[in-house]
Amino acid sequence: MSLTLQFTVRSDKGLVREVNEDSVYAAPHLLVVADGMGGHAGGEVASSVVISHMAELGRERTRAEPMEALREAILAGNLAIAQAVRDAPQLNGMGTTITAVLMEADSDQFVVANVGDSRTYLMRAGELVLLTRDDSLVQTLLDDGRITPAEALAHPQRSMVTKALVGGEPLSPALFRLETLPGDRFLLCSDGLSDLVAESELAEALGLPSRDEAADRLIQLALGAGGNDNVSVVVADVVHDDAPADAPVISRAPLKEEEAPERRGRTGRAVFVLAAVVVAAAVAVYLFS
């Protein structure tokens, strides 16, 4: 059974941030959300660079082994970040998360990839399931039973990720295969949605018949909960491949003149990507203090 995707993309800078650092790509066989990190260190550059590489994978449906093709595209994006930093050292410290879904050609199987704390959900028969696992300090504390899910929602370090595309090596994206059915609905989102909105509310919004209405409602929920981060969503329905095909959509983070590299270098907005040693130290302090 050959399947395809019909999709809706929405992205908003939120109510607090000056710049939208998220970038999104959607095509009938590939969905990607990248959440740039680094603020004036260049988070919008990192997400845009990675989305550009992912779009190359999306322009033509690959006949290569999809898991390897997706891995290679993510690694190429990571190397491109490293090159961007070499070309403009003031961008050092920028990075991006990524969550992606790639459909295998002539199949009902999809490959899901994730690095960081952007998320991919699947709704089937009214039930919402989180497919990805956050690479974050809070997720580590949850896994260890040190905090509850309710405490995680309000944890002061919930934005700290333990893995991201920052141009370093080695990088190992989480990858797995998933069988899908016509009628399944994917949600890919940046943490500007999932950090603020409960899964019950996500499920209610995704239950709306129209993808456009569902995507608009998700953005409204994030803004209504404070909108303290950029928020991007892709809502995509799995359909038979004889359905009308949507045109690819790419939404890159804006690189405005006032955020040019020579001006970015003058500002020290906090960067939330932690090196492994820093994460280990933070966990140790939190657990044993």
Side-chain angles (χ1 to χ4, degrees):
M1 177 171 55
S2 185
L3 302 173
T4 190
L5 295 164
Q6 294 179 330
F7 49 83
T8 296
V9 173
R10 296 286 187 270
S11 187
D12 195 287
K13 72 175 183 178
L15 303 178
V16 176
R17 300 293 179 91
E18 297 178 0
V19 175
N20 190 347
E21 296 180 289
D22 293 351
S23 294
V24 183
Y25 179 81
H29 57 282
L30 176 65
L31 311 171
V32 190
V33 170
D35 181 355
M37 298 173 293
H40 288 288
E44 74 275 20
V45 178
S47 69
S48 183
V49 164
V50 169
I51 284 293
S52 295
H53 278 77
M54 299 303 295
E56 293 178 10
L57 178 62
R59 288 191 184 100
E60 184 174 346
R61 193 162 178 175
T62 179
R63 294 285 171 174
E65 202 287 318
M67 187 172 290
E68 189 58 31
L70 192 51
R71 185 199 313 273
E72 289 180 359
I74 292 173
L75 295 180
N78 192 49
L79 291 175
I81 290 175
Q83 184 61 54
V85 172
R86 286 193 290 270
D87 293 341
Q90 65 270 28
L91 296 177
N92 186 41
M94 72 177 180
T96 185
T97 69
I98 188 170
T99 195
V101 173
L102 175 66
M103 187 176 65
E104 189 169 358
D106 301 322
S107 172
D108 61 354
Q109 288 198 334
F110 288 73
V111 175
V112 180
N114 200 74
V115 180
D117 61 354
S118 293
R119 291 182 172 183
T120 294
Y121 294 85
L122 177 70
M123 174 169 272
R124 175 177 293 172
E127 181 179 357
L128 184 66
V129 178
L130 175 60
L131 297 178
T132 53
R133 179 189 179 278
D134 293 348
D135 295 311
S136 69
L137 176 60
V138 164
Q139 185 64 56
T140 299
L141 298 175
L142 276 170
D143 292 346
D144 291 343
R146 303 291 179 173
I147 60 174
T148 67
E151 290 171 332
L153 290 174
H155 197 282
Q157 295 174 312
R158 64 184 180 277
S159 294
M160 290 189 175
V161 297
T162 56
K163 186 187 294 186
L165 279 69
V166 293
E169 291 292 343
L171 178 70
S172 299
L175 293 144
F176 61 91
R177 280 189 171 83
L178 173 74
E179 291 188 1
T180 58
L181 300 171
D184 285 350
R185 176 169 282 184
F186 284 106
L187 166 64
L188 281 69
C189 65
S190 57
D191 68 334
L193 177 69
S194 54
D195 274 358
L196 297 179
V197 181
E199 287 196 3
S200 59
E201 294 180 285
L202 299 181
E204 183 178 356
L206 286 171
L208 294 171
S210 164
R211 287 189 310 276
D212 290 351
E213 291 180 5
D216 289 340
R217 178 60 179 155
L218 291 167
I219 297 294
Q220 291 167 6
L221 287 169
L223 298 180
N228 60 7
D229 198 355
N230 309 145
V231 54
S232 296
V233 303
V234 180
V235 178
D237 291 333
V238 180
V239 298
H240 292 290
D241 66 356
D242 57 358
D246 288 344
V249 173
I250 187 166
S251 173
R252 292 186 182 91
L255 306 180
K256 300 179 182 178
E257 182 179 353
E258 60 266 29
E259 283 92 40
E262 63 269 18
R263 300 189 69 176
R264 268 194 300 264
R266 300 174 189 171
T267 306
R269 185 180 291 182
V271 179
F272 293 123
V273 183
L274 301 183
V277 64
V278 176
V279 172
V283 172
V285 169
Y286 186 90
L287 298 184
F288 301 112
S289 60

